[in-house]
């Protein structure tokens, strides 16, 4: 039972973090609602692979080296903040275009047509969104350094990383699956401009805060 305690605590903290709305959550909601189940699940896989890499870097000490190098960590923050800002601007533009098409009664591309381009990009978009998030680096570094003992066996550390990865994928994939049920999908399609707008606002807010902290350090 004592050996299970770190794993139970690790999973509990991680699940609470997964349930908190953030860039990963918004990315799944926005893209699963618009492009369908396959794209949503693929993005979930990309996000979970980003979490897997963060976990590996944290448990091997690589993340600590990045964190302790101010210039390198600042570069990561700038890249992450800029990417989230770019996602937010894109989502906002998409929301405005959809509202314009709706008001002008312009036909928008069918979900099947939209899916073709996004299917190839979904995995990369999910992975990039997570791996470039500097908050994720700090979170997993703190989580694993605190809850995984340094003297834990290699098998134990591999188990901890695997649990984080599998839990992340199952959560985001389940979210994508639920959002793409037939009835809910029809309603979501009607609300797509507003979902894009809210997700865009979230991306822009988080990205801007990250960049502002670089320019105006406390």
């Amino acid at each position: 039972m004592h050996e299970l305690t770190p794993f139970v605590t690790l999973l509990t903290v991680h699940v609470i973090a997964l349930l908190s709305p953030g860039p990963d959550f918004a990315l799944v909601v926005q893209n699963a609602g618009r492009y369908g189940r396959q794209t949503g699940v693929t993005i979930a896989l990309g996000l979970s692979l980003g979490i897997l890499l963060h976990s590996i870097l944290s448990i091997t000490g690589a993340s600590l080296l990045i964190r302790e190098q101010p210039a390198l960590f600042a570069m990561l923050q700038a890249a992450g903040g800029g990417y989230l800002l770019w996602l937010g601007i894109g989502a906002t533009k998409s929301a405005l275009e959809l509202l314009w098409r709706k008001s002008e009664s312009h036909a928008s591309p069918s979900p099947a047509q939209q899916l073709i381009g996004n299917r190839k990009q979904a995995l990369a978009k999910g992975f990039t969104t997570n791996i470039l998030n500097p908050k994720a680096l700090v979170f997993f570094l703190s989580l694993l350094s605190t809850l995984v003992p340094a003297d834990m066996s290699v098998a134990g550390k591999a188990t901890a990383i695997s649990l984080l990865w599998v839990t992340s994928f199952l959560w985001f994939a389940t979210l994508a699956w639920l959002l793409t049920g037939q009835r809910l999908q029809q309603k979501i399609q009607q609300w797509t401009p507003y979902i894009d707008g809210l997700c865009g606002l979230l991306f822009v807010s988080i990205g801007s805060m990250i960049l502002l902290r670089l320019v105006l350090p406390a």
Side-chain angles (χ1 to χ4, degrees):
M1 180 64 69
H2 179 70
E3 295 179 354
L4 291 176
T5 302
F7 297 124
V8 173
T9 307
L10 188 71
L11 277 180
T12 301
V13 175
H14 183 50
V15 168
I16 293 173
L18 287 174
L19 294 175
S20 304
D24 295 350
F25 184 92
L27 192 72
V28 174
V29 172
Q30 180 194 9
N31 288 275
R34 169 180 279 192
Y35 301 117
R37 181 166 293 168
Q38 184 172 4
T39 296
V41 173
T42 305
I43 284 178
L45 178 60
L47 290 168
S48 69
L49 289 174
I51 289 171
L52 175 63
L53 182 55
H54 270 303
S55 302
I56 293 173
L57 292 175
S58 297
I59 212 162
T60 58
S63 290
L64 181 60
L65 293 177
I66 295 173
R67 185 70 179 85
E68 291 184 341
Q69 296 294 323
L72 186 57
F73 188 57
M75 288 175 60
L76 175 64
Q77 289 179 299
Y83 182 71
L84 290 175
L85 190 60
W86 176 75
L87 282 180
I89 293 172
T92 303
K93 288 175 62 178
S94 175
L96 294 174
E97 288 173 1
L98 288 171
L99 287 172
W100 180 76
R101 288 195 187 106
K102 187 175 181 180
S103 64
E104 296 294 327
S105 299
H106 288 179
S108 60
S110 67
Q113 290 174 322
Q114 292 176 332
L115 184 60
I116 294 173
N118 283 269
R119 187 181 302 166
K120 298 177 182 179
Q121 303 168 9
L123 185 67
K125 181 176 279 189
F127 178 79
T128 304
T129 300
N130 184 271
I131 202 64
L132 286 183
N133 186 351
K135 291 185 176 181
L137 182 146
V138 175
F139 171 76
F140 285 104
L141 178 59
S142 301
L143 182 69
L144 291 169
S145 62
T146 302
L147 298 179
V148 176
D151 59 351
M152 180 179 282
S153 65
V154 174
K157 291 179 179 178
T159 300
I161 291 174
S162 299
L163 286 173
L164 294 178
W165 175 39
V166 171
T167 304
S168 302
F169 174 69
L170 289 177
W171 161 244
F172 289 123
T174 300
L175 180 63
W177 187 275
L178 293 174
L179 289 171
T180 50
Q182 186 173 359
R183 292 183 179 179
L184 185 57
Q185 183 74 9
Q186 292 175 351
K187 294 181 180 179
I188 288 178
Q189 288 293 334
Q190 297 174 356
W191 287 91
T192 293
Y194 309 104
I195 294 174
D196 280 359
L198 287 173
C199 291
L201 181 61
L202 179 62
F203 290 138
V204 168
S205 299
I206 297 175
S208 298
M209 284 190 292
I210 291 172
L211 295 176
L212 282 174
R213 285 175 183 173
L214 286 175
V215 179
L216 303 171

